[in-house]
Amino acid sequence: MKGGALSSDVVAAAERTGLTAVTGTAGAVGMVGITLGGGYGPLTGRFGLAAVNPLGAEVVLADGSRVDTDAEHEPDLFWALRGGGGNFGVVTSARIRLHPPPAVATGTIPLAPGRRRLARHPQRRQRL
Ligand SMILES: Cc1cc2nc3c(=O)[nH]c(=O)nc-3n(C[C@H](O)[C@H](O)[C@H](O)COP(=O)(O)OP(=O)(O)OC[C@H]3O[C@@H](n4cnc5c(N)ncnc54)[C@H](O)[C@@H]3O)c2cc1C
């Protein structure tokens, strides 16, 4: 992905391959911005923070030089990018790990039967 891609752009592109990316809850944030900052979202419990999912990045440093970084090349810079925010250079492109989307169950619980069921479990009712 390019450095200015929104997280919604990345999810839409990933969807075409049947995979998905770890993002936050809002598609309008920059994918690099959320990744460099940590990135907590609905898939974090399964696949970790967005910051643990980059595979590599192209970075323009303060002196104007361009560096390709990943676990093998400039590993300290790669480590620092993943959570260090925009402090280490401008990320002009990045490769991120995609994942098969987990099954998501959604639905509603009708209130009346739900209340009856909760009434049988007073501790759960208190937590709600
Ligand atoms: C409506 C909303 C919902 C949000 N929801 C979540 C959420 O669910 N989970 C979560 O973890 N966060 C969430 N955030 C926080 C969001 O992830 C951060 O604010 C993130 O840093 C936004 O990145 P940006 O690129 O859009 O913003 P910007 O303000 O442009 O950038 C933020 C920081 O990242 C740096 N940066 C951005 N792009 C680059 C680049 N290409 N190279 C180098 N540095 C760069 C900037 O220098 C800046 O320091 C939310 C924010 C908003 C506004």
Side-chain angles (χ1 to χ4, degrees):
M1 69 180 171
K2 295 295 181 188
L6 300 181
S7 61
S8 56
D9 298 331
V10 175
V11 169
E15 249 174 27
R16 292 198 283 275
T17 68
L19 299 172
T20 194
V22 174
T23 67
T25 53
V29 298
M31 189 66 193
V32 170
I34 191 171
T35 300
L36 298 184
Y40 182 87
L43 297 180
T44 292
R46 180 72 68 97
F47 303 123
L49 296 171
V52 303
N53 283 288
L55 298 170
E58 180 191 80
V59 187
V60 176
L61 303 179
D63 65 4
S65 59
R66 187 183 64 80
V67 178
D68 286 310
T69 177
D70 58 29
E72 307 287 320
H73 307 94
E74 305 290 347
D76 289 345
L77 175 60
F78 187 57
W79 175 84
L81 287 175
R82 293 176 300 154
N87 294 311
F88 298 96
V90 176
V91 175
T92 47
S93 70
R95 292 179 292 116
I96 58 166
R97 189 177 292 111
L98 299 179
H99 303 276
V104 177
T106 64
T108 55
I109 303 175
L111 197 55
R115 282 222 169 121
R116 276 202 298 278
R117 279 186 202 116
L118 287 173
R120 282 186 239 136
H121 301 280
Q123 284 174 333
R124 285 189 204 162
R125 190 175 50 183
Q126 275 171 8
R127 267 186 257 141
L128 292 176

